[in-house]
Amino acid sequence: MSKLVVRAFSISLDGYGAGPEQSLENPLGKGGEALHEWFIPTPTFRAMTGKEGGETGLDEDFASRSFENVGAWILGRNMFGPVRGPWPDDNWKGWWGDTPPYHVPVFVLTHHARPSIEMKGGTTFHFVTDGIDSALRQAREAAGGKDVRVGGGVATVHQYLRKRLIDDMHIAVSPLLLGSGESLFAGIDLAALGYACTEQAGSPRATHFTVTKQG
């Protein structure tokens, strides 16, 4: 059965999933790129960027698992780009160039309509203006029985968590302090929502946790 999952979601030791002041120069906010230092050396990431090699081990195990059985993605608008408000034109097509790393349909939450964009490599961006339930319904249909992955950002994860729609999450805690930004756990009582930690493993670059919905 198709699940709604969060995979390879990196946060700081003080709980931030992105740094402050996201911009074109700092897509993940100031200091946010350092959250992913566990992921960048892996063969999975290197293959995404057209490179060979990489470091195998625990981090790669979690990195490669994060793309298994994924048939569609859901993204918040900030994960698609820095543009705010109505789309000024159709020039912005995401952070990733002509060949995004998704290779499946991607549903972008937004308040402003825009035609779908078909990219190289099998990625098509669809823009959803009628909320998270509609995005999930469309993503499940497009996924064809495979899982739907919520790619972020923090606000998008929060919306699905509050409605107890996420089945499980893999969170990678990087050993650094950001001090401010977007907090993954602020205002979220995972225990009250019926989630529990079901897996824990550590590497020099991150501690990996899996949090699963119970019942």
Side-chain angles (χ1 to χ4, degrees):
M1 181 178 175
S2 173
K3 297 191 298 182
L4 184 64
V5 301
V6 174
R7 296 282 183 265
F9 197 96
S10 300
I11 66 173
S12 63
L13 195 59
D14 46 354
Y16 295 104
E21 300 178 40
Q22 183 197 41
S23 65
L24 188 61
E25 294 75 24
N26 293 292
L28 300 173
K30 291 184 177 179
E33 188 172 339
L35 296 174
H36 304 276
E37 289 184 356
W38 70 272
F39 184 60
I40 292 171
T42 65
T44 294
F45 177 80
R46 290 181 64 83
M48 288 167 54
T49 55
K51 300 175 183 177
E52 298 181 354
E55 300 178 13
T56 59
L58 183 70
D59 291 335
E60 166 59 14
D61 292 345
F62 277 97
S64 61
R65 280 168 52 182
S66 72
F67 287 92
E68 291 177 356
N69 198 45
V70 175
W73 288 64
I74 296 172
L75 301 179
R77 179 163 170 177
N78 289 2
M79 293 293 292
F80 178 75
V83 181
R84 302 294 183 265
W87 303 99
D89 50 48
D90 292 334
N91 290 332
W92 182 264
K93 295 179 173 65
W95 299 104
W96 315 273
D98 293 334
T99 310
Y102 303 105
H103 311 298
V104 293
V106 178
F107 296 84
V108 180
L109 296 164
T110 177
H111 294 295
H112 302 278
R114 181 176 175 178
S116 298
I117 308 171
E118 187 173 343
M119 307 291 286
K120 294 179 181 178
T123 300
T124 300
F125 293 111
H126 303 284
F127 299 89
V128 181
T129 59
D130 52 350
I132 66 169
D133 294 312
S134 175
L136 180 55
R137 177 181 53 77
Q138 294 180 59
R140 285 198 195 280
E141 183 176 346
K146 292 186 176 182
D147 294 338
V148 176
R149 179 172 168 180
V150 179
V154 167
T156 299
V157 174
H158 277 187
Q159 289 182 74
Y160 283 105
L161 273 178
R162 287 193 179 104
K163 298 188 76 169
R164 206 171 180 268
L165 292 170
I166 291 175
D167 293 292
D168 63 69
M169 302 187 293
H170 160 227
I171 300 166
V173 181
S174 297
L176 75 153
L177 300 170
L178 284 181
S180 64
E182 296 183 62
S183 174
L184 181 61
F185 301 118
I188 300 290
D189 188 338
L190 288 174
L193 288 169
Y195 289 89
C197 183
T198 54
E199 183 181 16
Q200 174 187 347
S203 77
R205 291 193 176 99
T207 301
H208 300 273
F209 297 94
T210 300
V211 177
T212 306
K213 182 169 64 177
Q214 305 298 292

